[in-house]
Structure formats: C-alpha cells, structure tokens
Amino acid sequence: MPARNDPQVYARRLRAVLISSIPVLEARGIVIVLMAGLVGMIAGALVTGMSELVQGLHFLLFDVQPGGRLSAMFSLASPVQAMFPAIGGLVLGLSVIWLRKRKFRTPVDPIEANALYGGRMSLTDTFIIVGQTMISSGFGASVGLEAGYTQIGSGIASRLARAFRLRRNDVRILVGCGAAGAIAAAFDAPLTGAFYGFELVIGIYSVANVAPVMTAAISASLTAEMFGGVPFPLELSGLPTLTASQYVPFLLLGLLGGAASIAIMNLVSLIERGFARLSIDASVRPFIGGILVGLLGLVTPQVLSSGHGALHREFAMNYGLAVVASVFVMKLAASAISLGSGFRGGLFFASLFLGALLGKVFAGVMAMAAPTTGIDPAVAAVVGMTSLAVGVVGGPLTMTFLALESTRDLTLTGVVLAASIMSAILVRETFGYSFSTWRFHLRGETIRSAHDVGWMRSLNVGSMMRKDVRTIDASTTLAEFRKEIPLGSAQRVIAVEQGQHYVGVLLVAELHSDLSDGETPVQALAQFKDAVLVPSMNVQSAAETFQRAGAEELAVVEDFDDRIVRGLLTESHLMRRYAEELDKARRDLSGEG
C-alpha cells in the first residue's frame, strides 16, 4: 500500500480533483485553451533546445561559428569533415540494430496518430524519432528537423491529454496544438503553425478549434523568442509591383512546383527500393548514404543539413542560372539519398529550399524566353518555394501564411496562394498524396490525411456479424433441404462442406420456389460462392465487398484460405451501424456529445 506522502498519490488526487471540477465543460472551452497554451510553451522550449543542440553538433563537427549555419558555408574547412554524414549514418545504424533487438514497432507520427489512434502517441516513439532526427541533421545529412519538432510537440501534448483522460476528439485537438506550436516556434510564424495544425494534423478547420490552436501557436512562438530562438524572416526589398499579366506565368510555376514535388517523392521511394534490391542490411544503408552525401558536401555545403543558411544566402545573392540549377540538382540528390538510405527527418525545409531554387531557375528561363514578362527572381523564388512545399508537405494555406509571415509582404499573398492551389490540385488529382501520407502508402496504409478514420477500423466485421448462423451440408438434396428448413423458418442458410468450410449462401425462399429436380444438391443453387467477409475487415472494405458482389448478406469466414464459417452479416445492418458511428463522430467533432 503506498505511503500517504507518496508523490504519485498526490498526483492522482490532484488529477481527480481537476477532472471532477469540470464535469459540465467536459474538458472543453477554457480548459482546453489553457492546456493548449501550456502545450505551446513546452513545444516552444523543446524546439529551441533541439535546434541549439544540433547547432552545437555543427559547431563541434563542422566548425560552424555561433550564429552561423552549416549550409551557408562556402566550403568545408577540411575534406575530413565530409566523412561526418557517414559517421552519423553509422551511429544511426547502430540505433537501428538496438531497436531491432528490442523489437520496437515502427514509430507513430502525429498525422497517423490522429487518423488512426485518436491522437494516442507513445513517448518512447517520440524520443526515438527526435533522437534519430537530431543525429541525422547534426551530422550533416540533408534532412530537416521539422519532423522531430512536430513529434516532440505532439507527443508531449498527447501524453498530457491522456493523463487527464480527455475524450478522443480533445486528445486529437491537443495533438494538433502540439504540432502547431512546434512549427510556430521553428519559424517564428504563429499563423503558419496554426494552419499546419489545422490542415495536416487535425485534418479540418473549425471555429471551435481556433482558440486552442492559435493559443498554442502564439505561446510557442513567444516562448521560442524568450529562449533565443532564431526567427525566419526573408529580407526582400524593392520588389516590383505585380501585374495581372504576371499571374499566368506564376500559375505555371505553381504547376511546375507540384510536378517537381511528385518527382521528388517518387525519387525518394526509388532510391529506397534501390537500397533494398542491393540486399544491404537496413543498419548499413545510412552509412553508405552518408558517404554519398558527404561527397556532395565537398562540392558545396549548401546540400548539407536542412538548408536554412543556404536558403537565406540564395535570397541575399544573385547567382547565375547554371549555378542555381546545379545546386538544385545536388540538393535534390542529397535529400533523396539521405531519406532513401534511412536517415530520419523530413522534406519540409528541403522542399522550401528546392522550391526557391526552382523559382529562380524559372525566372532565369523566362528572362531568356520571354523577357517582356518581367518576372522578378526574388518573387519567383518565394512562389516556387511555397508551390513545391505544398506538393511535398501539403497545406496550401500553411505555406501561404509562411510566405506572408517570413517576407512581411502582403502583396505577394495573392499570387502565392494562387500558385499553391494550382500545385495542390495537380498533386491531389495526379498523385493523391503528400510526402507524409505517401510514406504511409508505401507501408501499406490507406490514409491520405489526418481525418479521424480510426473509429472505422474499430467498427469491423467481427464486431457486427451474427454468430448464430444456420448451416447445412452442401451435399444435401433440394428435397431434403425443404423438409429440414421449411419456408418461413429462416431467410438464409449457409452451405458448408466437411469442417464447416464455406460453399455459398442459400436463400430459403428461392430454394422453395426453385423448379429444379428434388435430387439436385443445394451446392448447385448456392450464391456468392466467391464473395466472403473476414472479421478483421473494416466497414469501408466490407461495404465495397457488398457492392461488388451485389449481395444483401454475406458469410463471415475465419480467413480467406480455410474459409471456416464464423458468422453472417447483412448489408442493412452494416450501413445502419456505420451511420450511427458516423453520427457519433460528427457530434464529438462539434462538441455536442
């Protein structure tokens, strides 16, 4: 029995008092807003700490001076430094071996958690992702820290929400608040962070969610500033006035950004498959990838790490078209190799840098092909930056607000939004995924966003089927069937072979009205012989099976191989239960439940 002064006892009592004091609010309203503010402050502090630790690694390994950036260097101080990405890959490979021995599952990120698990995230998963991301970026791999930022913010938020036993939708909102706070702190951009939370992690924008998400984003941004976080403004001055005729070229640039994002995502998966075909163990792949990235870093350090310094340098200096194009190709190769070989991180910032380079290449080509359009390279870089990032990351409003908050130029907003929408439409209609959901697709998941579909998975065939199903031997003759099962005693019977193996569905009324010879075995009159359900099927898959078969009822079998009958499910019952659960989910979302 725990002692009376045990801290855990006091913690449980405090939680019970807090929960019991808000039964009417059901953990909504001002309580959620206050918790969101706390989540934002924690996310802001942790993001700043992660950034400082990685900058410290860059100082120790690459001699990057305080205030400087690895990717802003014109050259490495020593060729030996080109080996550090490979060393980082070796360290990462050792962590893969350690995790494999302990049989850790694939970590769950905020988007997957909100889509499938009601916002439930493991702190163990969180710390694994954060640690591997910091190793990857700290040793110079061409990946960003944003995946680690959102993981730590959302992971802490999920744990806090579950500690207070919040209901499913409130947990999902706080997970979105954690991600919003992390992005807001990383870019000193509260609106960007808030819409990242809405578009990518919560999956929907609603008025009820504005207060907590904005509170988290603002408090995270202020906390990061207090702890010395580096802001992300792009100093653009003397921009020309945009004319209506320039919108068409910029819309074209938006489409190019979307096409480039699709190519990047396919390239990453192609390199990943290439490493797999080489039969190289997963723990060795980051080491090989690190060697290749290090060689590219010898040519230009702009390809190393996330690319913050390189992006600012690109806006500050006016390089020739050939130089910009070559950096684009090398950065693209470095990022794809890093992720394809197994380094942990994301393409958030890499897509911004690549998009800015694409925009400058576009402006250079337009200056030669159609000089009368007067495309400004800096404006094209901003439009390209957001367009390509929308295709990779998703969230046109997120990237539009990033451009607005980083440039402080309202005149760019219209053209940036228009180009971002063109990119988003192209990617959605031709590819269907952002980079995050594309990675899920490669793992066999079907989710395309953070919309809550977890309840659909819990609503499976096994939970809806009737187990008291009546069966009859498939070799029974029609005459024997009519004697054994009189008209009106049952609507349907399942024909089975020895061992309860499924043969087909017998509709009692039809067999009683059939004009076949009485000696005909009922097996010949069975329907839906090839259409069955299994208990693990979710409601969506089951509904599709009913539609393909054109059936009103189907047998449920143990698995598709042995097909041992376990129950029966009707389409009407399936759709009724689906409608009930959908209505419940909508009530939870609107706060009526």
Side-chain angles (χ1 to χ4, degrees), residues 240-250 372-375 379 411 415:
T241 303
L242 294 174
T243 63
S245 61
Q246 291 177 330
Y247 267 66
V248 174
F250 284 131
T372 56
T373 55
I375 300 298
V379 176
T411 60
V415 69

Side-chain angles (χ1 to χ4, degrees), residues 515-545:
L515 299 179
S516 301
D517 186 278
E519 298 302 314
T520 301
V522 293
Q523 180 177 358
L525 303 174
Q527 300 184 29
F528 315 124
K529 296 179 180 180
D530 297 321
V532 291
L533 306 171
V534 294
S536 61
M537 269 187 176
N538 63 34
V539 62
Q540 184 177 2
S541 299
E544 291 172 354
T545 304

Side-chain angles (χ1 to χ4, degrees), residues 291-437:
I291 293 175
L292 299 176
V293 172
L295 293 174
L296 290 170
L298 275 178
V299 181
T300 173
Q302 290 186 73
V303 304
L304 299 179
S305 196
S306 58
H308 282 74
L311 179 63
H312 285 276
R313 197 171 107 186
E314 197 61 44
F315 277 99
M317 304 183 73
N318 189 22
Y319 293 105
L321 179 59
V323 174
V324 175
S326 63
V327 173
F328 177 86
V329 172
M330 286 189 288
K331 178 64 178 178
L332 173 58
S335 295
I337 290 170
S338 295
L339 291 172
S341 63
F343 279 99
R344 176 73 71 176
L347 283 175
F348 191 115
F349 206 93
S351 65
L352 294 175
F353 181 37
L354 287 168
L357 294 171
L358 178 67
K360 284 209 165 185
V361 170
F362 178 80
V365 172
M366 290 296 292
M368 293 186 294
T372 56
T373 55
I375 300 298
D376 184 81
V379 176
V382 174
V383 175
M385 177 181 79
T386 53
S387 299
L388 195 149
V390 164
V392 171
V393 180
L397 289 176
T398 300
M399 295 306 163
T400 300
F401 280 117
L402 178 60
L404 174 62
E405 292 181 293
S406 59
T407 64
R408 312 291 200 269
D409 192 323
L410 189 60
T411 60
L412 285 175
T413 305
V415 69
V416 165
L417 179 59
S420 296
I421 291 173
M422 294 300 291
S423 173
I425 291 174
L426 177 67
V427 173
R428 185 179 69 244
E429 295 300 324
T430 62
F431 192 68
Y433 300 90
S434 66
F435 183 70
S436 297
T437 53

Side-chain angles (χ1 to χ4, degrees), residues 84-94 135 139 283-287 290 343:
F84 286 126
I87 296 173
L90 190 62
V91 174
L92 196 64
L94 292 175
I135 290 171
F139 278 82
S283 61
V284 182
R285 294 172 194 171
F287 175 72
F343 279 99

